[in-house]
Amino acid sequence: MHVGVDIGGTKLLCRAVSASGDVYRELRVDTGPGCGPGQLDAAIDEFVGSVPAVRTVGIACPGLLSPDGARVVVADVLPQLGGWRPRALDGPRPGCLVNDVRAALLAATVAHPQDDELAVVVVGTGVAAGFTSRGHVHRGADGWAGELGSIPARVTGSTTTTTLDAVASGAAVLRHLEMPPAEVAARAADGQVDVVRVIEAAGQALGEGLAALVNLVNPRRVVLAGGTLAYPGYLEAALSSARRHALPQHWAACEVGADEDPDTLVVRGAVQAGLSAGLPALPPH
């Protein structure tokens, strides 16, 4: 079995996958700003201990990692994780720690091997991106390239400049509406105007960020993922906005759309990352 772990700002998702790529077991645990290393280590250790014959462990985490991938440097959405090294990586089996968007990019490259100019954008508690050029991951000088959520953005109906994270992310939607994700989704599905308006405004802001990415990087494909895409109307607003703001030639050369299972792209990449110790890749499930 191979274990992948997706640590996010609101949830921890653990997945065990067989050598043939079939999902054996999953576990979801709530996280949040107060979630610390002890809670995560305990949940991951318990899950790994419940899976027979674990051969590899890949752990995907938001934020900036040390250049050697040994520990978390800083994670804005989980502020207690600074300096953390997952205990599961010190076990007898091969394992690795990887940035969550880098994990998503790995899963996307496995799913789309024909696209060597590929970008992923993950929209969860925050917004981040990763991309390849001629099949090589663009890492940046310190390995921290892709902080799309930190680019400047305008607050709707205002001249105030903030960041894309602050206006387009899942956290931005929840902060504006002051209600939990399930209630946001339910009210949006019922067509509640105030909720729909907030979701669509966030999606439009993401679209402007997508247009900037498309114009700068000129990818062949952009794969979108993350739990925020599940809000009714968000993805549609983002794609419409991106189409309006991107250069027509760049947009025409690029296929932009959500992954077939946006909420699991990161954990699928975490599984693949755990296999990086020389084991063959699994099928793209």
Side-chain angles (χ1 to χ4, degrees):
M1 293 289 174
H2 305 282
V3 170
V5 179
D6 169 16
I7 301 170
T10 59
K11 64 100 172 56
L12 166 75
L13 172 60
C14 300
R15 172 179 281 192
V17 178
S18 69
S20 62
D22 296 319
V23 177
Y24 171 77
R25 180 174 294 169
E26 284 191 345
L27 170 70
R28 288 178 182 262
V29 177
D30 291 340
T31 59
C35 183
Q39 180 182 344
L40 293 178
D41 278 330
I44 295 169
D45 288 349
E46 181 179 355
F47 181 80
V48 171
S50 73
V51 176
V54 175
R55 298 182 62 194
T56 62
V57 177
I59 299 175
C61 183
L64 306 179
L65 308 184
S66 60
D68 60 0
R71 65 191 70 255
V72 179
V73 175
V74 62
D76 290 346
V77 299
L78 295 170
Q80 295 191 38
L81 296 194
W84 177 55
R85 174 176 171 80
R87 192 164 58 203
L89 299 183
D90 296 324
R93 64 191 68 82
C96 70
L97 177 65
V98 63
N99 171 266
D100 55 354
V101 179
R102 202 62 54 79
L105 184 61
L106 176 57
T109 58
V110 171
H112 304 282
Q114 73 282 3
D115 293 318
D116 61 358
E117 301 286 342
L118 174 71
V120 297
V121 175
V122 178
V123 192
T125 305
V127 181
F131 48 94
T132 65
S133 181
R134 298 185 179 180
H136 297 286
V137 176
H138 180 76
R139 301 179 183 278
D142 295 313
W144 294 348
E147 292 298 310
L148 184 63
S150 296
I151 67 172
R154 289 288 179 90
V155 177
T156 303
S158 169
T159 58
T160 302
T161 300
T162 180
T163 66
L164 192 63
D165 270 341
V167 295
S169 67
V173 172
L174 299 182
R175 184 170 57 251
H176 194 110
L177 292 172
E178 298 183 332
M179 59 183 69
E183 185 176 352
V184 171
R187 293 193 181 198
D190 287 341
Q192 191 168 113
V193 175
D194 290 347
V195 173
V196 170
R197 185 180 296 120
V198 169
I199 290 172
E200 289 183 347
Q204 289 166 9
L206 178 71
E208 294 176 13
L210 290 177
L213 178 69
V214 168
N215 291 345
L216 281 171
V217 179
N218 188 209
R220 185 66 61 192
R221 181 185 300 271
V222 178
V223 178
L224 307 177
T228 307
L229 300 186
Y231 289 140
Y234 182 89
L235 177 61
E236 294 79 5
L239 294 177
S240 176
S241 174
R243 186 180 299 109
R244 290 197 308 273
H245 290 94
L247 292 170
Q249 298 87 345
H250 287 57
W251 187 258
C254 182
E255 184 172 338
V256 184
D259 179 70
E260 60 182 13
D261 190 4
D263 196 40
T264 69
L265 187 66
V266 173
V267 77
R268 280 148 45 203
V271 171
Q272 296 288 356
L275 290 158
S276 63
L279 294 172
L282 296 179
H285 279 253

